[in-house]
Amino acid sequence: MATILPNSQSKNETDSYISRFFKDNKIGTLLNKANVRKEEGISPLLLIQFIFSLVLHGKNLYRILDSGRIQDAPAKDAVYRLLNNPTYNWRKFLVLLSKNVIVTKLLHLVSNNRERVLIFDDSLFSRARSKAVELLALVHDHTTGTYVKGFRMLTLGWSDGNTFIPPLAFSLLSSEKKKNRFQEINSSVDKRTVGYKRRKEALKKSTEAMFDLLDEVNPLQLCARTLLFDSWFAFPKVIKRVVSEYPLHVICMLKSMHRVYYLYEGEKYTLNQLYKSVRKKRGRAKILASIVVSLGENAKGDDIQARIIFVRDKNRSKNWLALLSTDLELPEEEVVRLYGKRWDIECFFKVTKSHLRLAKEFQSRSYDALVAHTTIVFTRYIMLALSAREEEDPKTIGQLFYLCCDEMEDIRFAQAIMLIIDLLKSTLSQEPVLSEVRIQSIIDELFSQLPQFLKKAFLDDDKEKITKAA
């Protein structure tokens, strides 16, 4: 992946970049707000910076301690005291860091019209060879369809389509069924600590734990209007609660379940029954059908409506996929495009497991250590994501970019299309057979065949011209 620092970089360059990242984002201040403070010995900031840099240097803790080559390396006990402390609020630290990065470094790089989204998903946190890890359980692996030892890592992230910022919040979920758990909560943990609260949360269902994560973020502050998730969370009860309690719309994939019904034209239908009852578009259309259904009333007694869009499955032409959107004003093409941003979180899971040593770097038995190390791994990803954005996006060079833009304003998409249309009209007018009326009718016919979202772009552009003229 492009965000991984190249091996050719010297150790000094990498250390310098890490130090600048810690300084620019005030990591020490954020740790202090999350109650990660020095009790004895070495500073927590230095310990975290040491652990943070291990993978980026291609090293691990045990080799460094055994070799004795690094004189300033902390003792192993100091590292594990940091990771095992149940009073440290690692989730608060990650929320503060992610918000700071998004608000101060990313929001100003794209226009206000650009959709920013929140993304929910879960992934397997495998501990297949472990036996005595706290709250270790048999959990379902979606990719293989089997049960393995580990946790379900429920993750809430943010994306603007270019950069994915990993968890605003996350939770390592065990199993709610006692028979599936190999170990229970450590009885010595103080029940007043944040570590104990995280352990109790790990025993909840994923559809309940997701709202604990949403409660810790402010979507309006992050300029996010839409929440994306896949079919594992797409239950009407969950969708209604999101729309009712948060300033968010939902776009999600649906799967056919025989006990989940949608109200359409006064009748209840399953997803399969809905597809059979609606009229499909002819030919090889990518969007087969689109209908508005009711999900029922929420706690306030309001009826929640949503649009279900049936899309042709490109991998299996005879099959179909279904997307749901609670924003009825969005065109079908825009719903499909926005849902495509959910793929960012899948790439994030791949990078953290394959390159950043998630669940592999430390083999701790404490639940606190699992949470602490996962937070450090996600912080590494944030640094690498920022690095990639700075290299690829010219707007990150600062004021120089905006000075250049003042000299020559960017041509928007709608304006570019209009230039092409004008060129087509001038070309057709050179033909002696075609009259002005005939040329205009051809152009009108062309506009009528455009997708709805393109027509809207042209209308917005015309309104802006009229406003400026007035």
Side-chain angles (χ1 to χ4, degrees):
M1 182 182 173
T3 56
I4 301 300
L5 293 176
N7 294 329
S8 59
Q9 274 193 311
S10 69
K11 181 179 183 299
N12 290 337
E13 289 176 342
T14 304
D15 286 339
S16 175
Y17 193 90
I18 293 172
S19 298
R20 182 162 63 89
F21 171 77
F22 272 62
K23 182 178 180 180
D24 290 347
N25 293 281
K26 301 179 180 178
I27 300 296
T29 302
L30 300 182
L31 288 170
N32 186 62
K33 290 181 178 179
N35 200 39
V36 184
R37 298 167 185 164
K38 179 178 178 179
E39 297 177 356
E40 59 176 327
I42 192 169
S43 164
L45 178 62
L46 296 178
L47 280 174
I48 291 172
Q49 191 165 345
F50 171 76
I51 300 170
F52 184 93
S53 63
L54 289 176
V55 167
L56 302 177
H57 291 318
K59 299 177 180 179
N60 63 56
L61 177 65
Y62 305 102
R63 288 184 180 178
I64 287 178
L65 295 179
D66 290 342
S67 66
R69 293 180 180 177
I70 301 180
Q71 297 179 352
D72 297 331
K76 182 172 69 173
D77 290 344
V79 173
Y80 278 96
R81 277 199 303 269
L82 172 79
L83 298 178
N84 292 329
N85 195 318
T87 64
Y88 293 166
N89 195 341
W90 293 103
R91 185 189 291 177
K92 183 177 181 180
F93 163 72
L94 194 60
V95 169
L96 291 173
L97 175 60
S98 299
K99 283 184 176 180
N100 180 63
V101 168
I102 292 169
V103 173
T104 63
K105 300 186 182 299
L106 296 179
L107 284 182
H108 65 279
L109 298 181
V110 293
S111 67
N112 294 329
N113 297 327
R114 183 81 173 258
E115 283 285 346
R116 291 92 167 188
V117 297
L118 299 180
I119 307 173
F120 250 123
D121 203 359
D122 66 338
S123 182
L124 175 66
F125 187 98
S126 177
R127 292 297 298 266
R129 298 184 179 182
S130 302
K131 294 181 180 179
V133 175
E134 190 176 2
L135 290 178
L136 184 69
L138 280 177
V139 294
H140 187 254
D141 183 3
H142 301 324
T143 57
T144 62
T146 59
Y147 281 84
V148 296
K149 288 191 288 186
F151 301 87
R152 290 182 65 191
M153 187 173 65
L154 186 64
T155 305
L156 173 64
W158 178 95
S159 176
D160 63 356
N162 289 326
T163 302
F164 177 77
I165 294 299
L168 298 159
F170 75 93
S171 182
L172 297 178
L173 301 182
S174 180
S175 175
E176 59 177 319
K177 298 179 181 178
K178 188 174 181 179
K179 64 179 182 179
N180 289 341
R181 297 196 295 267
F182 295 96
Q183 298 292 332
E184 297 300 322
I185 297 175
N186 188 342
S187 59
S188 64
V189 178
D190 191 337
K191 294 183 179 180
R192 296 169 296 178
T193 61
V194 67
Y196 184 79
K197 295 178 182 178
R198 297 289 175 260
R199 289 165 167 84
K200 296 296 290 184
E201 182 184 80
L203 303 179
K204 294 182 179 181
K205 292 182 179 179
S206 59
T207 50
E208 296 176 0
M210 67 181 293
F211 292 103
D212 293 334
L213 304 188
L214 275 175
D215 287 338
E216 298 195 8
V217 303
N218 184 351
L220 294 178
Q221 186 180 12
L222 305 177
C223 298
R225 295 180 55 252
T226 307
L227 177 66
L228 310 180
F229 49 79
D230 64 7
S231 57
W232 296 105
F233 306 95
F235 297 95
K237 183 179 179 180
V238 173
I239 297 170
K240 287 189 290 184
R241 185 174 172 184
V242 171
V243 175
S244 303
E245 298 182 8
Y246 305 92
L248 291 168
H249 284 292
V250 170
I251 295 179
C252 61
M253 181 76 73
L254 297 178
K255 64 178 177 180
S256 182
M257 293 177 280
H258 65 280
R259 293 184 180 179
V260 176
Y261 296 93
Y262 306 92
L263 190 63
Y264 177 60
E265 295 182 345
E267 299 290 337
K268 288 185 177 180
Y269 296 91
T270 64
L271 192 62
N272 276 335
Q273 291 171 345
L274 267 179
Y275 180 73
K276 293 177 181 178
S277 65
V278 299
R279 189 173 182 178
K280 288 79 174 177
K281 295 181 180 179
R282 300 176 63 183
R284 298 288 298 173
K286 295 180 180 179
I287 296 178
L288 300 173
S290 174
I291 58 172
V292 176
V293 300
S294 174
L295 303 178
E297 295 182 349
N298 59 17
K300 300 178 182 178
D302 299 327
D303 188 41
I304 303 296
Q305 291 190 321
R307 184 185 302 279
I308 295 180
I309 303 167
F310 295 98
V311 183
R312 190 182 302 279
D313 189 344
K314 66 178 182 179
N315 297 322
R316 293 166 291 183
S317 58
K318 293 184 179 180
N319 291 359
W320 47 270
L321 303 172
L323 297 177
L324 180 143
S325 171
T326 57
D327 189 351
L328 301 182
E329 297 181 359
L330 278 181
E332 291 90 348
E333 295 87 353
E334 185 70 3
V335 172
V336 176
R337 187 187 69 82
L338 283 179
Y339 185 77
K341 293 185 179 184
R342 200 194 68 81
W343 184 249
D344 291 346
I345 200 169
E346 301 291 352
C347 299
F348 157 73
F349 288 142
K350 177 65 176 177
V351 170
T352 53
K353 293 178 182 180
S354 300
H355 298 285
L356 302 182
R357 305 288 293 168
L358 179 66
K360 300 174 184 176
E361 190 173 12
F362 293 96
Q363 298 300 313
S364 303
R365 297 179 179 180
S366 166
Y367 187 81
D368 294 308
L370 299 180
V371 173
H373 181 251
T374 302
T375 302
I376 294 173
V377 170
F378 291 168
T379 306
R380 289 172 182 158
Y381 188 94
I382 292 175
M383 186 192 76
L384 297 175
L386 279 178
S387 174
R389 186 62 176 261
E390 289 171 357
E391 292 177 2
E392 296 174 1
D393 193 339
K395 291 186 285 297
T396 57
I397 66 177
Q399 189 64 25
L400 178 62
F401 173 84
Y402 295 103
L403 291 175
C404 295
C405 289
D406 290 339
E407 296 177 8
M408 184 178 66
E409 184 181 358
D410 287 341
I411 299 177
R412 287 177 298 177
F413 180 71
Q415 293 174 326
I417 293 294
M418 287 304 300
L419 288 175
I420 296 174
I421 297 298
D422 291 339
L423 181 61
L424 175 62
K425 289 174 67 176
S426 64
T427 304
L428 292 176
S429 64
Q430 296 177 6
E431 295 292 330
V433 180
L434 296 175
S435 64
E436 185 68 28
V437 176
R438 179 55 182 160
I439 292 173
Q440 189 60 46
S441 66
I442 293 174
I443 299 300
D444 293 340
E445 179 65 22
L446 175 62
F447 270 101
S448 66
Q449 299 297 324
L450 290 176
Q452 188 62 35
F453 73 97
L454 282 180
K455 293 180 182 177
K456 184 177 183 300
F458 292 131
L459 289 175
D460 292 343
D461 192 53
D462 290 340
K463 290 178 182 178
E464 186 173 341
K465 289 181 180 178
I466 293 173
T467 304
K468 288 182 178 179

